[in-house]
Amino acid sequence: IYGLSDRKASNDDILNSWKKTTCKIIYSKIKSHQDTEHETMYGVGVFYEYTHEGKTYRSNRYGNDSSTSSEREDKHEEMDYYAPGTQHHCYVDPAEPWSSMLAPEKKSSTLRILIIVGWVMVALGAIAVFFGWKNRDKAKLI
């Protein structure tokens, strides 16, 4: 049974009222389409299965907002993350268990932010040390 539903739920609705469960990736692939300006855009297609109340379902719903990029290489890391056989979390609508969503995980974005913040802190520390040494030399002259 494939995860299809006429009802559209927001990410907040899903996180707050749908049941979080483990799902297993069957396959993932890079898919492409033309945008309104006829530029080729790339995204990741993911097909997975999950069990709800003893019954197995399959779906390809991957987040409400599928992010795309004009660079195919940008999607390889995401596709590799969802490699066949890996397990992730998806959310299941308890009222319509054939309706589910694999929630994109933001680990790489969070890690990038932490790395940037770390480098900013290092730079600020270096500036403080530089001006501290510079002012120390001026203090000796007085």
Side-chain angles (χ1 to χ4, degrees):
I1 298 174
Y2 295 91
L4 300 173
S5 176
D6 293 334
R7 203 173 78 200
K8 295 284 184 186
S10 72
N11 284 340
D12 288 339
D13 290 340
I14 290 169
L15 294 174
N16 292 326
S17 64
W18 288 21
K19 183 180 176 189
K20 185 177 181 179
T21 190
T22 301
C23 57
K24 181 180 175 183
I25 306 301
I26 298 169
Y27 75 82
S28 61
K29 67 177 184 175
I30 296 176
K31 56 186 183 175
S32 65
H33 70 276
Q34 299 288 317
D35 68 5
T36 56
E37 296 160 2
H38 306 290
E39 183 178 6
T40 301
M41 301 299 289
Y42 299 95
V44 173
V46 182
F47 190 62
Y48 57 93
E49 69 180 11
Y50 59 95
T51 303
H52 179 74
E53 295 182 355
K55 190 169 182 180
T56 300
Y57 299 89
R58 292 181 173 186
S59 182
N60 64 351
R61 186 173 176 194
Y62 176 50
N64 270 352
D65 303 312
S66 195
S67 66
T68 59
S69 169
S70 60
E71 297 295 325
R72 182 179 174 88
E73 293 76 29
D74 291 347
K75 294 299 171 182
H76 280 284
E77 181 179 334
E78 187 175 355
M79 188 185 74
D80 292 342
Y81 182 73
Y82 291 108
T86 59
Q87 293 190 350
H88 299 274
H89 289 109
C90 59
Y91 293 84
V92 179
D93 183 347
E96 298 176 343
W98 57 88
S99 182
S100 67
M101 182 181 81
L102 176 66
E105 299 182 24
K106 303 294 184 188
K107 290 181 180 177
S108 62
S109 297
T110 303
L111 181 59
R112 287 183 192 134
I113 290 169
L114 290 174
I115 290 171
I116 291 169
V117 168
W119 279 111
V120 168
M121 298 302 284
V122 167
L124 290 173
I127 290 169
V129 168
F130 173 77
F131 284 109
W133 280 104
K134 191 174 180 180
N135 288 339
R136 188 179 128 239
D137 292 340
K138 285 182 182 178
K140 286 182 179 177
L141 295 174
I142 297 178

